[in-house]
Amino acid sequence: QVQLVESGGGSVQAGGSLRLSCSISVYIGSTYCMGWFRQAPGKEREGVASISTRTGTTTYGDFVKGRFTISQDNAKTTLYLQMNSLKPEGTAMYYCAAHISSSFRGTPIQALGAGRFGYSGQGTQVTVS
């Protein structure tokens, strides 16, 4: 069983920054591909960023446009999402996900949006005003 615990959410003004963290109970390299997705009330799940935990290859949702950075720590136990230049439309619950499906016919970002991952955490709220 993989356990994920997100932290770092909060309320910021537009243009501000937040750094989300995701603590994982297993060695990150065993999860193949991890990422972040978000969901706002009344809206569909949206893939934000993904990282191949073995190669370090990253992908981002089109709306990110260079503002966010996904990374993992050297100890391979924590996943991060640095978010800069936040916009009000970024208000949502942000979730960490592990074991993004490798058999999904699409990108990891699309897989996140489709819910094709093995595990996710409880989420952390981000509010941008």
Side-chain angles (χ1 to χ4, degrees):
Q1 184 76 6
V2 176
Q3 294 182 327
L4 306 169
V5 179
E6 301 95 336
S7 62
S11 297
V12 295
Q13 292 187 334
S17 299
L18 282 173
R19 188 194 197 199
L20 306 184
S21 298
C22 174
S23 176
I24 184 168
S25 62
V26 299
Y27 176 59
I28 280 184
S30 68
T31 65
Y32 169 66
C33 189
M34 292 189 66
W36 294 88
F37 66 93
R38 68 185 186 183
Q39 190 160 22
K43 294 188 176 181
E44 294 186 352
R45 183 186 304 111
E46 186 173 37
V48 177
S50 73
I51 183 168
S52 167
T53 57
R54 295 170 188 173
T55 68
T57 301
T58 58
T59 61
Y60 296 92
D62 291 341
F63 64 90
V64 171
K65 300 187 186 301
R67 298 179 297 122
F68 297 177
T69 302
I70 186 172
S71 63
Q72 55 191 12
D73 71 335
N74 290 333
K76 302 295 181 82
T77 59
T78 306
L79 187 71
Y80 300 103
L81 183 68
Q82 177 67 44
M83 303 188 295
N84 300 325
S85 302
L86 283 162
K87 302 176 181 180
E89 51 264 42
T91 295
M93 188 72 82
Y94 284 70
Y95 300 86
C96 175
H99 284 304
I100 298 172
S101 175
S102 59
S103 62
F104 181 77
R105 289 191 176 186
T107 67
I109 295 299
Q110 292 170 331
L112 285 167
R116 295 294 299 274
F117 45 82
Y119 304 92
S120 64
Q122 298 286 334
T124 185
Q125 177 68 38
V126 172
T127 302
V128 186
S129 59

